Amino acid sequence: MTARTLPSLNALRAFEAAARHQSFTLAAQELHVTQGAVSHQVKALEEELGAVLFERLSNQLRLTVAGQRYLVVVGDAFDRIESGTRQLRERPQRERLTISTSPNFNAKWLAPRLGGFSVRHTDLDLHVEQSERQVNFLRENIDLAIRYGDGSWPGLSCTRLGDEFLLPVCAPALDVDSIVALSTAPLLHSHDRQSWRDWFAAHGLSLDERPGIIFNQESAAVDAALAGQGVALARSSLVVRELQQGRLVAPVALSLPLTQAYWLVYPLEGDAGGKIAAFSDWLRQEYEADRQFWRGVIG
């Protein structure tokens, strides 16, 4: 691409200001430079163009015919630049929406889907803050949070997103497809072995104390299952996407219902419309799609 051949911007500004004021002195005051600097810039511009732009009379500065024609061009260009700059500065700022959630939920449920919400709501500037603690809405710049618990948070609007349950999952290549196979497969644990004990007991079985990796984060156990290292017992929301995509399978359609679940929470005195309503509606639609999927997986 050929480079543009343009005069000095400072020279053009000096010419345009002098032409409007019909004075080098007034142009210098507007541009915060000396009168000599304006005169020098205009003279250099005339030499570059090979045309006289001003008649320099004893007490007056007057545009020549060439100067009048050039002013129309330069003035129009400056008007367009000024208008475009003003529109850019006055464009609506995107509204910020800050969401707090746990690292587990963000990694396995929220982050892989959030792009869909962002595409539908380009007016929102999304921020996600991961934390295991419960945020203080009064002290922190957080609009809403997704929490795991029983929904008893006074002073907050709490919406249960769906029922939660534990489900065995593993990579398809592990070739575990029955209770019998599961009884000898390597098991992956979150925090301790109690969840697997509860799951086996709920189905009339007992868990032997076979070796198995214990992770302090459920998402890590799911990642290990994805890598084919064993069978993880995971919360349904944390594995639904991998099951939908076929990266994980449920070797047995036996689940263990949980009393706690994920909730959307935000202050009662907060604005429930606008950005919060938009996110809440999207969240419910996503969870409804998950519920439809689970009907075909869990008996």
Side-chain angles (χ1 to χ4, degrees):
M1 181 180 293
T2 305
R4 294 181 183 275
T5 304
L6 297 173
S8 160
L9 178 59
N10 287 335
L12 292 175
R13 293 184 66 201
F15 162 70
E16 192 272 340
R20 277 190 289 105
H21 292 293
Q22 297 287 290
S23 166
F24 286 153
T25 300
L26 294 178
Q29 292 175 3
E30 177 183 318
L31 299 175
H32 304 289
V33 296
T34 65
Q35 185 268 350
V38 172
S39 178
H40 175 76
Q41 291 281 5
V42 171
K43 183 64 177 176
L45 180 62
E46 289 177 323
E47 291 177 354
E48 182 177 354
L49 297 175
V52 178
L53 301 175
F54 290 103
E55 291 183 52
R56 296 162 174 80
L57 307 177
S58 56
N59 293 315
Q60 187 179 7
L61 190 66
R62 186 162 57 197
L63 283 166
T64 63
V65 173
Q68 292 173 359
R69 291 174 179 171
Y70 200 47
L71 178 61
V72 172
V73 175
V74 174
D76 179 68
F78 280 176
D79 287 344
R80 289 174 179 270
I81 293 172
E82 183 180 31
S83 176
T85 301
R86 183 173 59 253
Q87 291 175 17
L88 191 62
R89 286 174 174 168
E90 293 175 353
R91 74 188 189 279
Q93 295 296 313
R94 294 197 300 173
E95 189 175 9
R96 177 172 175 144
L97 175 62
T98 304
I99 304 161
S100 173
T101 187
S102 68
N104 279 327
F105 187 83
N106 183 58
K108 296 305 177 187
W109 196 96
L110 184 60
R113 306 170 187 241
L114 202 53
F117 176 80
S118 182
V119 167
R120 289 165 57 180
H121 297 277
T122 56
D123 57 320
L124 294 178
D125 189 18
L126 291 174
H127 291 253
V128 177
E129 297 196 6
Q130 299 182 114
S131 177
E132 293 287 0
R133 63 181 178 81
Q134 293 184 6
V135 298
N136 186 324
F137 287 100
L138 296 177
R139 297 180 182 177
E140 301 177 61
N141 188 26
I142 303 293
D143 294 299
L144 52 86
I146 300 172
R147 293 181 179 175
Y148 184 77
D150 59 9
S152 58
W153 296 291
L156 299 178
S157 171
C158 305
T159 302
R160 187 182 178 105
L161 297 177
D163 295 332
E164 206 69 32
F165 51 88
L166 291 175
L167 181 75
V169 294
C170 63
L174 200 60
D175 195 25
V176 176
D177 58 2
S178 66
I179 287 285
V180 174
L182 187 61
S183 66
T184 59
L187 302 182
L188 305 170
H189 306 270
S190 300
H191 304 290
D192 55 38
R193 292 184 169 85
Q194 190 59 48
S195 292
W196 268 117
R197 291 193 188 101
D198 293 342
W199 184 88
F200 274 99
H203 301 293
L205 303 168
S206 60
L207 173 65
D208 55 40
E209 295 300 321
R210 77 190 80 163
I213 306 171
I214 301 176
F215 297 90
N216 73 333
Q217 291 286 344
E218 195 168 352
S219 59
V222 173
D223 287 340
L226 285 165
Q229 296 179 21
V231 184
L233 189 63
R235 277 178 267 176
S236 51
S237 289
L238 303 187
V239 293
V240 61
R241 191 169 183 84
E242 280 75 11
L243 287 166
Q244 290 169 340
Q245 296 175 344
R247 299 176 63 209
L248 289 176
V249 295
V252 290
L254 298 175
S255 62
L256 178 63
L258 297 171
T259 57
Q260 296 186 329
Y262 286 102
W263 298 71
L264 172 67
V265 301
Y266 55 87
L268 286 171
E269 64 274 14
D271 180 12
K275 60 186 181 181
I276 290 181
F279 187 79
S280 177
D281 290 344
W282 172 79
L283 203 58
R284 283 196 292 265
Q285 290 171 14
E286 290 292 314
Y287 256 86
E288 179 56 34
D290 287 354
R291 276 191 286 272
Q292 296 295 331
F293 168 78
W294 286 122
R295 289 191 182 117
V297 175
I298 302 300

